[in-house]
Amino acid sequence: GWLLMFYIYFHLYLNLFAELLRFGDRVFYKDWWNSSEVSAYWRLWNMPVHYWLVRHVYFPSIRLGLSKSASTFIVFFLSAVMHEVLVSVPFHMVRPWSFLGMMMQMPLVAVTKYMYSHYSASSIGNIVFWVSFCVVGQPMAILLYTADYQYGQLAANTVFDSCTAVDDSENHEIHFEEMAFLE
C-alpha cells in the first residue's frame, strides 16, 4: 500500500501537475530503494522537501555556528514535528508515534553509516533500511495510530455507567441506581 501511494503521488500526480504547470524541475525522488544507509534514503526519497530543509534549516544552522551533528538533529527534529502534525491533524489526535519514529532515525543513520563503512560491498545496509522502514517501521506506525484512533472512537461512542449509592432508610440497605451519561 505504501509503495503504491508513493508511486501514485510522487510519480503520477506530481509529474502530471509539473507538466500542466510547465514546472521545469521534475526530480521529485531518486533511487531511494537502493539506499545502502538510512541517510541516503532521506536525501533521495523526497527531493523538494530535502532541498528545502537543507536550504532553510541545515545551512542556516551551520552559519549560526552549530556543528553538522547539531544541525542534522535540528533538521530531524523539525521534520519529526511536521510528520506528527501531518498525521495528528487529520486524525484529530496528537500521539508521539510519528515523532518518535522520525527521531529514532538518528541512531539508525549512525548504525547504517557504520555498517556501510565496514561492509560497503555488502547489501546489509539496504536490508536494514527495508526491514526498518517497510517491514517494521511503517506497519508499526500504522498499527499504533489505528489502535489509538479506534480506542478514541470506542471511548467517544460508549455509554458510561456509574453507580450512585442510595440509602433505603426503612431496612438500612444500600442499593445502587444506575446512571447513564449520554453524549
Side-chain angles (χ1 to χ4, degrees), residues 33-68:
W33 47 89
N34 292 327
S35 298
S36 56
E37 53 183 89
V38 174
S39 64
Y41 166 78
W42 288 113
R43 287 190 305 271
L44 299 172
W45 95 273
N46 190 338
M47 299 302 293
V49 170
H50 169 70
Y51 287 142
W52 188 91
L53 286 169
V54 168
R55 185 180 309 122
H56 297 289
V57 180
Y58 182 79
F59 284 146
S61 298
I62 295 290
R63 282 193 293 270
L64 287 174
L66 295 174
S67 68
K68 289 182 178 182

Side-chain angles (χ1 to χ4, degrees), residues 79-118:
S79 184
V81 168
M82 293 312 298
H83 274 81
E84 192 59 54
V85 167
L86 289 172
V87 173
S88 298
V89 169
F91 285 118
H92 302 281
M93 62 181 195
V94 178
R95 300 293 188 272
W97 311 130
S98 185
F99 178 82
L100 291 174
M102 284 293 299
M103 293 310 290
M104 291 306 295
Q105 299 303 307
M106 296 291 293
L108 194 58
V109 165
V111 167
T112 56
K113 275 186 186 259
Y114 174 81
M115 287 191 303
Y116 184 71
S117 69
H118 286 76

Side-chain angles (χ1 to χ4, degrees), residues 4-179:
L4 182 62
M5 289 305 297
F6 172 84
Y7 176 76
I8 289 170
Y9 183 74
F10 281 93
H11 195 72
L12 300 178
Y13 177 78
L14 289 179
N15 278 304
L16 172 70
F17 276 94
E19 184 71 29
L20 292 173
L21 298 172
R22 297 176 186 242
F23 185 67
D25 186 10
R26 301 217 181 120
V27 181
F28 299 113
Y29 62 91
K30 291 184 181 174
D31 63 340
W32 56 265
W33 47 89
N34 292 327
S35 298
S36 56
E37 53 183 89
V38 174
S39 64
Y41 166 78
W42 288 113
R43 287 190 305 271
L44 299 172
W45 95 273
N46 190 338
M47 299 302 293
V49 170
H50 169 70
Y51 287 142
W52 188 91
L53 286 169
V54 168
R55 185 180 309 122
H56 297 289
V57 180
Y58 182 79
F59 284 146
S61 298
I62 295 290
R63 282 193 293 270
L64 287 174
L66 295 174
S67 68
K68 289 182 178 182
S69 297
S71 299
T72 301
F73 177 82
I74 290 170
V75 168
F76 268 91
F77 184 83
L78 178 65
S79 184
V81 168
M82 293 312 298
H83 274 81
E84 192 59 54
V85 167
L86 289 172
V87 173
S88 298
V89 169
F91 285 118
H92 302 281
M93 62 181 195
V94 178
R95 300 293 188 272
W97 311 130
S98 185
F99 178 82
L100 291 174
M102 284 293 299
M103 293 310 290
M104 291 306 295
Q105 299 303 307
M106 296 291 293
L108 194 58
V109 165
V111 167
T112 56
K113 275 186 186 259
Y114 174 81
M115 287 191 303
Y116 184 71
S117 69
H118 286 76
Y119 310 105
S120 60
S122 149
S123 59
I124 187 82
N126 189 257
I127 292 169
V128 169
F129 159 73
W130 277 100
V131 168
S132 65
F133 275 83
C134 297
V135 177
V136 177
Q138 297 286 339
M140 179 64 70
I142 291 168
L143 286 173
L144 289 168
Y145 279 109
T146 302
D148 283 347
Y149 183 77
Q150 291 296 326
Y151 179 75
Q153 292 297 313
L154 179 66
N157 295 327
T158 302
V159 175
F160 296 100
D161 294 327
S162 70
C163 297
T164 305
V166 175
D167 182 11
D168 186 359
S169 54
E170 290 179 6
N171 53 11
H172 300 291
E173 292 179 21
I174 296 179
H175 60 276
F176 295 91
E177 291 180 355
E178 193 173 304
M179 295 176 57

